[in-house]
Amino acid sequence: MTVRLLQFTDPHLYGAADGKLRGVITYPALLAAIEHARGRFWPCDGILATGDLVQDDPSGYARFREVFAKLGVPVYCITGNHDEPDAMARVLAGAPFQLGGVARWQKWIAVMLDTYLAGKAQGRLDAANLRLLDEALRNNPGAHALVCLHHHPVPMQSRWLDQVGLENAAEFFSVLDGHRNVRAALWGHVHQHFESERNGVRLMSTPSTCAQFLPRSDGFAIDRRPPGYRWLELQDDGTIHTDVVWVDGHAPQHG
Ligand SMILES: [Fe+2]
């Protein structure tokens, strides 16, 4: 059985339909990314929404709910630095949404970690999340694991972004290093495509469904690429087929 997932990250929604982030109206950009994916990678077994679901605006969760509730698949969500965890938990309570925790299929699990730090752009895994990760990996030794978080656990070679990554990446990797079933770690936050590998674990980031950041830039800079998302196919033998897709037909409305 192949598990097919779609990752939509950093939609930065507002309550208002015309709210802009870095010149891109975030709501139609997200709709364009979803429609693009539905035309190519559907049906899927679940959606990974890896943080910054809203842009510091709790009324954006109603919009997120309206968009994703009707797709008919589970939506696994984690917080990002622009989220408001209490409002997120309230508005996205119940199926098809799952906030944090573990998603399970026959041969795979996805561990959804919360790295939110109140008032900070950087992230941190608290003791509860480190324990969740360790126990999920230990309790499912026969399953391959995909670990999802918002903040990047490795440098992106971008000075400004690397000041707002995962503060305790060493603790994160020490948990991963204690298990043999981790196949990949996947994140958002950086609004760009990145792929690397560490100790046999694939490391991947995915562009935002709205505005992108210029890779390898020392200072903050926008990359004028269109919305993006990622598809993943998880095979029984632990292989991951995956790629990032750019929604080329969507002209970002930069202003
Ligand atoms: Fe973001």
Side-chain angles (χ1 to χ4, degrees):
M1 173 198 165
T2 297
V3 181
R4 179 186 275 177
L5 302 175
L6 289 167
Q7 182 195 14
F8 297 104
T9 193
D10 298 79
H12 292 267
L13 292 172
Y14 301 83
D18 60 353
K20 281 187 185 182
L21 181 76
R22 315 289 180 200
V24 177
I25 304 178
T26 60
Y27 175 56
L30 172 63
L31 294 182
I34 292 171
E35 275 318 294
H36 194 273
R38 275 165 60 87
R40 289 161 180 78
F41 305 105
W42 210 258
C44 73
D45 297 294
I47 286 169
L48 305 169
T50 42
D52 286 358
L53 310 190
V54 302
Q55 175 63 23
D56 307 316
D57 177 359
S59 59
Y61 292 117
R63 196 159 288 288
F64 183 91
R65 181 176 184 88
E66 160 217 315
V67 170
F68 284 98
K70 60 187 175 205
L71 297 181
V73 295
V75 184
Y76 304 102
C77 303
I78 47 178
T79 50
N81 47 299
H82 288 287
D83 282 302
E84 302 208 4
D86 292 345
M88 183 166 153
R90 198 165 54 242
V91 181
L92 302 183
F97 302 100
Q98 177 180 320
L99 275 57
V102 183
R104 289 184 181 80
W105 299 274
Q106 280 180 349
K107 293 280 185 183
W108 278 86
I109 58 171
V111 188
M112 308 300 294
L113 297 171
D114 180 0
T115 55
Y116 177 85
L117 261 185
K120 300 267 177 66
Q122 66 266 39
R124 186 173 186 86
L125 287 164
D126 63 12
N129 275 270
L130 288 166
R131 196 177 325 114
L132 165 74
L133 175 61
D134 193 43
E135 289 178 357
L137 297 173
R138 183 167 339 106
N139 294 339
N140 296 278
H144 310 289
L146 168 67
V147 179
C148 300
L149 68 173
H150 181 67
H151 292 84
H152 47 301
V154 290
M156 301 291 299
Q157 313 302 334
S158 185
R159 194 180 304 153
W160 75 275
L161 261 178
D162 289 338
Q163 290 167 354
V164 293
L166 183 68
E167 277 184 358
N168 56 342
E171 287 185 272
F172 172 67
F173 284 119
S174 102
V175 174
L176 297 196
D177 289 343
H179 302 275
R180 301 172 60 87
N181 49 344
V182 184
R183 300 292 167 252
L186 176 64
W187 58 88
H189 188 50
V190 299
H191 294 224
Q192 62 192 269
H193 182 196
F194 171 88
E195 172 121 25
S196 179
E197 199 219 276
R198 178 189 175 280
N199 289 353
V201 176
R202 288 176 76 172
L203 305 175
M204 302 182 280
S205 76
T206 300
S208 162
T209 60
C210 58
Q212 315 304 349
F213 300 148
L214 191 65
R216 296 176 180 267
S217 174
D218 273 347
F220 173 83
I222 288 294
D223 190 353
R224 293 184 169 234
R225 298 196 74 166
Y229 64 94
R230 177 183 290 277
W231 63 267
L232 303 105
E233 288 185 350
L234 315 178
Q235 310 284 340
D236 282 353
D237 67 357
T239 306
I240 300 174
H241 298 296
T242 182
D243 205 358
V244 154
V245 181
W246 300 94
V247 185
D248 283 320
H250 185 81
Q253 293 128 54
H254 285 285

